[in-house]
Amino acid sequence: MKHSPLTRGLLGFYTALVAFLLIAPTAVVIPLSFTDKASLSFPPTGWSTRWYRNFFEDPAWTSAFGNSILVALIVVVVATSAGTAAAVGISRWKRRRWAKASQVLVLAPLVVPSIILAIGIYAMFLRFQLLGTLLGFVAAHSILAIPFVLVSVTAALAGYDERLSTAAASLGATRWESFRAVMLPLIMPGVVSGALFAFVTSFDEVVLSIFIKSPYLETLPVKMYASVTRDTDPTIAAAATMIMLLTTVIIAVGLLSMRRRKHV
């Protein structure tokens, strides 16, 4: 379908406007992280890297950053494994009504307000003494990350031909061997996408983390929230810039790896 020059121009303008609205906050945060003033003022009147030095020299900031990385990496393993298994199981469930009900149940954390989910998890973790523990953070973040993996892998399974698994079984392969050698390589782009979403979801989570944190274990978003409520130290802008850089690099690497797999 061909569009007139006016229509293409309007579509281009709309696309540019949406891109600007998405990028504008980033364009403000990055310069703020290099300001030479001790407060968040835009535009900066001078430039300095003192706030990045302050980030890496302050044990509170580096500890929170390390905690976020550790929790996110463990969540990637847990959520990707559980989400992939759930997607495969639901796709093969013969009772489609029960399969749909199970899928809705797993996807519930996507639609339930974060504050409600946080209160429920806080009450449960308080009973089982999981507040402020690594296990508690991993479990809570995995609850939020698994639905993203499920959606991504389910989309990949939509294009999978079940006859390939049947052929593998006819050649003597077990279910695990068929999944590992036949299905998994073909749905790997969906698995990788789900893993990337799981990492970003865990690394950026703040509402749930505030409820389950402790003085001995807090993540970087929680530290940033606490910092911005107490003062306007531009160290928070440096931390935000590094989060954006890290997530951008991870997503870019994941997209490049999936593109290479498609061309192999």
Side-chain angles (χ1 to χ4, degrees), residues 49-247:
T49 59
R50 60 181 290 197
W51 305 114
Y52 288 92
R53 292 197 304 269
N54 185 60
F55 179 91
F56 288 106
E57 292 175 357
D58 189 339
W61 283 105
T62 54
S63 176
F65 181 73
N67 291 336
S68 289
I69 292 291
L70 176 61
V71 171
L73 290 176
I74 299 176
V75 167
V76 166
V77 176
V78 175
T80 303
S81 301
T84 302
V88 174
I90 291 173
S91 69
R92 291 185 170 181
W93 204 338
K94 294 183 179 179
R95 297 184 177 181
R96 301 311 304 167
R97 182 176 299 178
W98 287 101
K100 290 294 183 181
S102 300
Q103 188 176 36
V104 170
L105 183 63
V106 177
L107 295 177
L110 290 179
V111 296
V112 175
S114 298
I115 188 67
I116 296 177
L117 189 64
I119 293 173
I121 289 178
Y122 172 81
M124 184 175 63
F125 280 16
L126 182 63
R127 180 179 180 85
F128 293 101
Q129 299 182 351
L130 290 174
L131 294 177
T133 64
L134 179 61
L135 178 60
F137 269 92
V138 171
H141 287 193
S142 294
I143 292 173
L144 296 177
I146 287 175
F148 290 98
V149 180
L150 177 66
V151 170
S152 180
V153 177
T154 298
L157 285 170
Y160 178 74
D161 191 346
E162 282 292 341
R163 291 177 297 181
L164 297 174
S165 296
T166 303
S170 68
L171 294 174
T174 63
R175 289 188 177 183
W176 168 247
E177 291 172 341
S178 175
F179 170 77
R180 180 178 56 82
V182 179
M183 178 182 289
L184 184 59
L186 294 177
I187 65 172
M188 185 57 70
V191 175
V192 173
S193 297
L196 294 176
F197 278 115
F199 182 92
V200 173
T201 299
S202 173
F203 196 79
D204 290 342
E205 173 55 36
V206 61
V207 176
L208 186 57
S209 299
I210 290 175
F211 276 77
I212 64 175
K213 77 177 185 70
S214 74
Y216 310 102
L217 180 61
E218 67 176 3
T219 56
L220 185 57
V222 174
K223 172 63 177 174
M224 294 170 64
Y225 177 80
S227 176
V228 78
T229 55
R230 290 195 303 265
D231 49 49
T232 55
D233 188 344
T235 304
I236 189 175
T241 300
M242 287 188 290
I243 287 179
M244 289 186 292
L245 178 62
L246 179 62
T247 53

